[in-house]
Amino acid sequence: MHKTFIKNNRHATSAVDYHRMPNIKVFSGSSHSDLAQKICDRLGIEPGKVVTKKFSNGECCVEIGESVRGEDVYIVQSGCDEVNDMLMELLIMINACKIASACRVTAVIPCFPYARQDKKDKSRAPISAKLVANMLSVAGADHIITMDLHASQIQGFFDIPVDNLYAEPAVLKWIKDTIPEWRNSCIVSPDAGGAKRVTSIADRLNVDFALIHKERKKANEVATMVLVGDVKDRIAILVDDMADTCGTFCHAAEKLTEAGASKVYAICTHGIFSGPAISRINNSVFEAVVVTNTIPQEERMKNAPKIKCIDISIILAESVRRTHNGESVSYLFSHVPL
C-alpha cells in the first residue's frame, strides 16, 4: 500500500513537471548579434539583455541582465573573428546561466570552433575539437545546435545531444532560384573528403558530380590537383563546408576552367575568408562565391562583390522553436522552413 502510494505520487510529480514548459530566452554573444536578432525576429521574441565586455587585461566579462531561473535558455555564438575570445565568452555565458538556475542551456554555435582539428593525423597532434566539446559540457551546456560540422563524427565527442543542421536545403534552393541553366551543371568537390556532401546535392538536383584530388605539401598550400569527372561546356559548382584562405577554391576554379567549364560557382557554408582570401576571390574566375551567414559577411561583401550570402537564420530559429516545444528537428535536414 505504502509502495503504491509513493509510485503514484512520483508519477503525479512528473506529470506536473511535464506540463510546466519553461519560458524561452535567447541571448547573443558578441560574435554575431545580427544573426541572433534575426532568430529572435523569426521567433517573435526580444533578445535577452546581456552585457559583454573586456577588462583592461583582456579577460572576458559577461553580465546577464535578466532572470533566467527555470527558463529554457539559448545562447547564440559563432566561432569567428577572434575565435578564442568568442569561445571563452560562450563558456562564461553558459556557466553564468547555469549557476543562475536556468532549466536548460542550449549553445547555438552556427560555426563550430576548432572543428578542423578533429583527428590525430600526425604524431603528438591535439584533437582540439574534442577539447572544445569537453569545455562546453563542463561549462554546463545541456544541448548543442550547430551547422555543417567539418566532420559529423564530432557529434560523438559530446555526451549531450547535438543537432547538426545542414545548409544543403538552402543551397539547393539558391541554385534553383539563381542559376537558370542549373540542369546543365556539375557539382564538384574540391577534395576527396567532401565527396559525400557533393554526391548528396548532385543526387537531389539529378545532375553529375566530379571531384578534385589534391595533394598538400604543408597546411594551406596545395601541391598538385587532378580533376576526376567531366565538366566540359557545363556550369561547375564547387561545394565545400568552409572556405578559409580560398587557395584551394581558386586553384580548383582555374583547373575547372582549363577543363572547359563554361562558368564556375563556389558554394560553402562557412565563409571564414582569412588572410589573402578577399583579394584571391576578386582576382578569381568565379561568377559568384556563395556563403551562408553562420559568420558575419557584411564587410566582406562590400570588399568583394562576388560574395553572395544565403540567410540561414530561418533554419536555426525553427530548430530553436522545435527544440523548445519538444518537436522533431529532422524535417530541417531536407527542407527550408517557409
Side-chain angles (χ1 to χ4, degrees):
M1 181 87 179
H2 182 62
K3 284 179 183 173
T4 310
F5 171 74
I6 291 172
K7 188 177 177 185
N8 290 344
N9 194 40
R10 187 166 67 238
H11 278 295
T13 309
S14 62
V16 170
D17 288 346
Y18 178 76
H19 289 299
R20 188 187 57 77
M21 275 292 281
N23 293 326
I24 187 169
K25 288 272 169 75
V26 177
F27 293 101
S28 172
S30 53
S31 67
H32 202 343
S33 52
D34 179 54
L35 181 65
Q37 183 64 58
K38 284 179 176 167
I39 291 170
C40 289
D41 290 345
R42 172 84 181 181
L43 294 170
I45 59 174
E46 285 294 316
K49 294 184 181 69
V50 60
V51 177
T52 56
K53 55 188 178 185
K54 282 187 186 176
F55 292 118
S56 55
N57 66 347
E59 286 181 5
C60 295
C61 174
V62 173
E63 293 170 15
I64 307 293
E66 54 191 272
S67 172
V68 294
R69 185 176 294 274
E71 303 277 6
D72 190 10
V73 173
Y74 295 82
I75 299 169
V76 182
Q77 182 83 308
S78 202
C80 56
D81 296 329
E82 297 170 331
V83 178
N84 297 333
D85 284 355
M86 298 308 155
L87 176 59
M88 199 66 214
E89 190 179 280
L90 174 62
L91 296 170
I92 293 168
M93 287 178 79
I94 292 168
N95 191 246
C97 291
K98 201 67 185 174
I99 61 176
S101 303
C103 176
R104 175 176 65 176
V105 179
T106 300
V108 181
I109 314 170
C111 181
F112 194 85
Y114 291 93
R116 282 176 285 185
Q117 298 182 40
D118 59 339
K119 59 185 179 291
K120 191 171 176 181
D121 52 0
K122 52 182 179 285
S123 298
R124 296 172 294 283
I127 308 177
S128 307
K130 167 68 172 166
L131 176 61
V132 172
N134 288 344
M135 289 161 74
L136 288 164
S137 298
V138 169
D142 298 298
H143 180 209
I144 305 291
I145 296 173
T146 186
M147 182 164 270
D148 274 347
L149 283 171
H150 188 62
S152 296
Q153 296 89 319
I154 292 173
Q155 293 168 89
F157 293 169
F158 290 88
D159 292 323
I160 55 176
V162 178
D163 284 321
N164 180 29
L165 305 171
Y166 300 106
E168 184 182 298
V171 166
L172 290 167
K173 186 173 183 297
W174 187 91
I175 291 171
K176 288 176 180 176
D177 292 350
T178 316
I179 305 174
E181 323 89 62
W182 63 267
R183 286 182 177 82
N184 183 38
S185 65
C186 182
I187 313 299
V188 187
S189 173
D191 55 32
K196 194 175 176 184
R197 184 181 296 108
V198 162
T199 50
S200 172
I201 292 173
D203 286 348
R204 291 185 64 183
L205 290 173
N206 197 24
V207 297
D208 289 340
F209 71 91
L211 65 87
I212 290 172
H213 175 68
K214 65 180 180 184
E215 290 176 2
R216 285 185 191 274
K217 288 202 168 135
K218 57 184 178 183
N220 290 345
E221 259 185 51
V222 180
T224 56
M225 282 190 160
V226 182
L227 175 64
V228 183
D230 180 25
V231 295
K232 189 167 174 58
D233 299 326
R234 292 183 181 179
I235 293 168
I237 304 173
L238 275 164
V239 176
D240 207 354
D241 66 319
M242 61 173 67
D244 191 352
T245 56
C246 289
T248 304
F249 259 167
C250 293
H251 270 102
E254 287 162 15
K255 193 82 185 171
L256 291 166
T257 308
E258 287 167 21
S262 57
K263 288 180 184 175
V264 184
Y265 290 86
I267 302 179
C268 65
T269 308
H270 311 298
I272 298 167
F273 300 142
S274 61
I278 298 298
S279 64
R280 280 175 175 169
I281 289 169
N282 287 334
N283 298 323
S284 69
V285 295
F286 288 119
E287 295 291 314
V289 176
V290 184
V291 293
T292 71
N293 59 343
T294 56
I295 292 170
Q297 299 295 348
E298 291 78 12
E299 284 303 312
R300 289 156 181 156
M301 287 168 76
K302 287 175 190 169
N303 297 326
K306 288 183 181 180
I307 296 175
K308 309 296 177 194
C309 192
I310 300 172
D311 182 17
I312 45 83
S313 63
I314 301 166
I315 297 173
L316 291 170
E318 184 63 11
S319 72
V320 167
R321 188 193 68 76
R322 284 171 177 256
T323 303
H324 176 64
N325 292 334
E327 298 171 25
S328 170
V329 176
S330 56
Y331 172 82
L332 300 173
F333 296 162
S334 52
H335 298 85
V336 178
L338 296 172

